[in-house]
Amino acid sequence: MNDDRYERTLEELERHACKWWPREVREEAQKISILYTLLDTQEKFISILKLADKNNINKLFEILDASNFAYNLFLKHLVVLTDFGSEPLQRVNKNFSEMFPAGVFEYDIGTGKKLYSFTSLPVNGVLNNKRMKIDTVENLRMGNCDKDLCKDIIMLLIYGAATTDISTRAILFKCTPFEYLGNDFRIDEFVRKNYIRVSSIIRGKTATDLGNVAQQYVVTYLTNALGKNYNVRSNGTIPGVTQNDGTTLTSFDVVVDRKNDTSRHKKYIAIEVTFQETTNSTIERKGGQARDRFEKITSTRNFIAYIIDGAGNFSRTSAVSVLCDNSHCTIAYTPEEFNLLLEFVKEKIG
């Protein structure tokens, strides 16, 4: 065992590894993938809204059937655009008998009162994304869902703010798409402005790149755990650590420093993240850079740490060994290991 508890050999590191993607990272990647699916189907969604008749909800459902546009995919678009997701929908489901005592939705869009009779709401148990089949890309693409349940929820999300019941309107006030139906310009404006918000969530991320999600998860974790006295930067640089014959600062997955450290020899910690369930060349690239980076980091009195995990990485024993040999702190991708990294950061830079 190394005298320094932060430094591990490959064998020591592997004993702490989880090998397979943590649930939190998979869930975050799934969210990003779903948003990309929505962006990919945005134009067709807009065209369906433009063909819909605001005075006849059945026309919308006929268009969905004719166009083979999945009901749950259409529902997911509405959930995002109205910002009325599973949590508020679950509250509606839980309080359904108070909001709709007769099981009927009465609304008025300016052309007289209309009635819609629910066929599936309320549901027994929890009305969550999984129940609505809007939780995964696979469900959205397959369109395997309860159409009647989707119809009930689509109805609420489009016309909810037009309910004649004042107390119910206070809950469904965000559900205003009916205001845009029949006006192509306003539909375009409504959808595209909202998708600017959606696009900002995924800007710079790749739907299929779990490694990038793993990096962002580390940034979020360290930011929250270290608090406001530390800078935690994704793809950050360290003064004096360069590449390309000294012409370019070297970029690291994560860089941490103290905000209030104004000393001449301010300390920085670079953190590289690599997690691969299946083998690929990323670990080899990092291994090839490791010695040079370690020497430059050390010569500037700073530190470098590696977060290494995944069954694919541990099949590349030579590359992982090089990283372990050229690191001031080497940890696996688990909560317990992240705590060790926090101790390292506080010990080395205060």
Side-chain angles (χ1 to χ4, degrees), residues 55-72:
N55 294 301
N56 182 3
I57 187 64
N58 289 322
K59 177 68 180 297
L60 171 63
F61 300 140
E62 290 172 6
I63 295 169
L64 289 176
D65 289 330
S67 63
N68 293 319
F69 198 91
Y71 277 68
N72 54 332

Side-chain angles (χ1 to χ4, degrees), residues 144-163:
N144 183 21
C145 61
D146 182 337
K147 282 190 177 182
D148 288 333
L149 176 60
C150 287
K151 285 180 179 180
D152 284 355
I153 302 170
I154 288 170
M155 185 69 195
L156 285 179
L157 295 182
I158 292 179
Y159 295 101
T163 177

Side-chain angles (χ1 to χ4, degrees), residues 80-99:
V80 173
L81 289 171
T82 58
D83 192 25
F84 202 88
S86 60
E87 289 187 14
L89 283 171
Q90 170 57 15
R91 289 196 292 271
V92 170
N93 187 66
K94 185 177 181 180
N95 300 295
F96 191 85
S97 59
E98 298 174 15
M99 297 173 65

Side-chain angles (χ1 to χ4, degrees), residues 185-202:
F185 174 79
R186 295 196 69 192
I187 288 173
D188 272 316
E189 185 179 47
F190 168 66
V191 175
R192 297 189 196 286
K193 278 188 176 180
N194 276 281
Y195 269 103
I196 290 174
R197 172 177 58 84
V198 173
S199 297
S200 68
I201 298 172
I202 61 175

Side-chain angles (χ1 to χ4, degrees), residues 274-276 278-279 283 308-317 320:
T274 174
F275 195 127
Q276 294 294 330
T278 57
T279 186
I283 188 71
I308 307 169
D309 214 320
N313 277 342
F314 285 106
S315 69
R316 302 279 184 112
T317 56
V320 174

